[in-house]
């Protein structure tokens, strides 16, 4: 049972483009929504995170948009660069159960020079 | 600098072997996790631990067990390896509490032949 659905599975954009990755969740108990970035040969690393009482959060070129009523959230990458080419995972967690993260299926982003 | 270290980057084992994957963290985190990563499926939680000697099943525990005898070390055990356990295995640790970051190891690529 996949509680966090992520799309698209892969995405190719030109340098300077704005890739958008979307996620939808089912469990309304989720109260923390991070995005992780993974480069080949490395473990995932936290990129940016949001809580459900905030509709948008920006950190540098990365923005999370959050729609609580629709149970959806998305990652936007402004002015994308080839160095942003990586796999991106959305995730969600709730209090209890050691704050275990439920991950989406991942999006492989390629930014062409 | 925080660190989660997995004992092996690559492992090749035979069907039926007992396999041990070791993970050590140096951050004094309460929570530790084992995930497996497969293309198109994202990261799926196998087991987690919130304290020494305490463990909980994740979403896909069948065929696996874990051990946490010391706070810094969390081991994943494949009792009798099978070819469908060929995967990338990721260990993570996380401080207890809301909005805390999960830190991942570099992963172990296990091939069962």
């Amino acid at each position: 049972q996949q509680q966090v659905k992520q799309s698209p599975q892969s995405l190719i954009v030109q340098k300077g483009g704005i890739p958008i990755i979307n996620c939808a969740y089912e469990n309304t108990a989720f109260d923390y929504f991070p995005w992780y970035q993974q480069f080949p040969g490395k473990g995932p690393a936290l990129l940016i995170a949001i809580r459900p009482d905030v509709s948008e959060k920006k950190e540098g070129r990365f923005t999370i948009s959050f729609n609580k009523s629709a149970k959806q959230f998305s990652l936007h990458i402004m002015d994308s660069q080839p160095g942003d080419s990586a796999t991106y995972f959305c995730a969600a967690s709730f209090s209890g159960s050691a704050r275990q993260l439920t991950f989406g299926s991942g999006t492989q982003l390629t930014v062409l020079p | 600098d925080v660190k989660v270290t997995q004992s092996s980057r690559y492992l090749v084992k035979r069907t039926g072997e007992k396999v041990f994957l070791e993970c050590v963290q140096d951050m004094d985190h309460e929570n530790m996790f084992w995930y497996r990563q497969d293309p198109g499926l994202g990261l799926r939680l196998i087991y987690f631990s919130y304290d020494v000697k305490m463990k909980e099943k994740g979403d896909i525990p069948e065929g696996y067990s874990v051990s946490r005898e010391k706070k810094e070390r969390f081991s994943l055990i494949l009792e009798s390896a099978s070819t469908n356990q060929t995967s990338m295995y990721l260990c993570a640790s996380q401080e207890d509490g809301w909005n805390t970051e999960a830190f991942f190891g570099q992963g172990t690529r296990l091939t069962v032949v």
Side-chain angles (χ1 to χ4, degrees):
Chain A
Q1 180 185 0
Q2 187 180 11
Q3 295 192 54
V4 179
K5 294 184 179 179
Q6 183 172 346
S7 63
Q9 189 169 2
S10 63
L11 191 52
I12 301 174
V13 300
Q14 294 285 341
K15 178 182 173 182
I18 306 175
I20 301 173
I21 304 170
N22 299 297
C23 287
Y25 64 97
E26 300 165 7
N27 188 347
T28 55
F30 287 143
D31 63 0
Y32 176 63
F33 300 87
W35 286 86
Y36 280 76
Q37 180 187 53
Q38 184 181 30
F39 293 105
K42 303 285 188 182
L46 179 66
L47 182 63
I48 185 173
I50 197 168
R51 60 180 199 248
D53 58 343
V54 175
S55 61
E56 185 177 278
K57 182 174 181 180
K58 285 185 182 180
E59 285 186 6
R61 295 184 293 107
F62 300 90
T63 299
I64 301 178
S65 298
F66 191 87
N67 185 330
K68 187 174 181 178
S69 61
K71 292 188 285 184
Q72 294 176 348
F73 58 112
S74 59
L75 177 71
H76 297 62
I77 306 175
M78 309 301 289
D79 187 28
S80 59
Q81 301 296 312
D84 296 328
S85 297
T87 301
Y88 293 81
F89 294 96
C90 61
S93 71
F94 60 91
S95 63
S97 292
R99 277 273 164 201
Q100 61 177 280
L101 290 165
T102 298
F103 285 89
S105 54
T107 297
Q108 188 165 358
L109 172 66
T110 302
V111 181
L112 301 174
Chain B
D1 202 15
V2 297
K3 225 173 191 179
V4 177
T5 303
Q6 294 182 228
S7 54
S8 304
R9 291 295 301 270
Y10 300 95
L11 275 179
V12 180
K13 296 292 182 180
R14 295 194 179 278
T15 302
E17 277 193 79
K18 190 168 186 176
V19 181
F20 294 85
L21 302 183
E22 306 287 341
C23 176
V24 177
Q25 52 105 352
D26 65 359
M27 295 163 282
D28 201 37
H29 287 166
E30 294 85 0
N31 303 326
M32 296 188 74
F33 308 84
W34 275 105
Y35 293 88
R36 65 176 281 175
Q37 180 176 6
D38 300 288
L41 297 177
L43 281 71
R44 293 180 292 166
L45 183 63
I46 304 171
Y47 267 96
F48 65 96
S49 168
Y50 53 89
D51 202 349
V52 176
K53 298 192 186 292
M54 306 305 290
K55 58 188 178 184
E56 295 278 350
K57 293 179 180 179
D59 299 318
I60 51 165
E62 296 78 18
Y64 304 94
S65 63
V66 290
S67 172
R68 194 171 181 196
E69 296 296 319
K70 293 185 177 182
K71 190 174 185 180
E72 67 270 18
R73 188 178 297 269
F74 191 35
S75 302
L76 179 69
I77 304 155
L78 286 66
E79 297 291 343
S80 177
S82 64
T83 55
N84 62 13
Q85 293 178 309
T86 291
S87 186
M88 170 68 81
Y89 290 88
L90 289 162
C91 173
S93 76
Q94 185 175 9
E95 186 177 356
D96 200 24
W98 183 84
N99 202 26
T100 60
E101 178 178 353
F103 293 89
F104 284 83
Q106 78 278 23
T108 297
R109 171 72 66 183
L110 173 67
T111 303
V112 182
V113 297

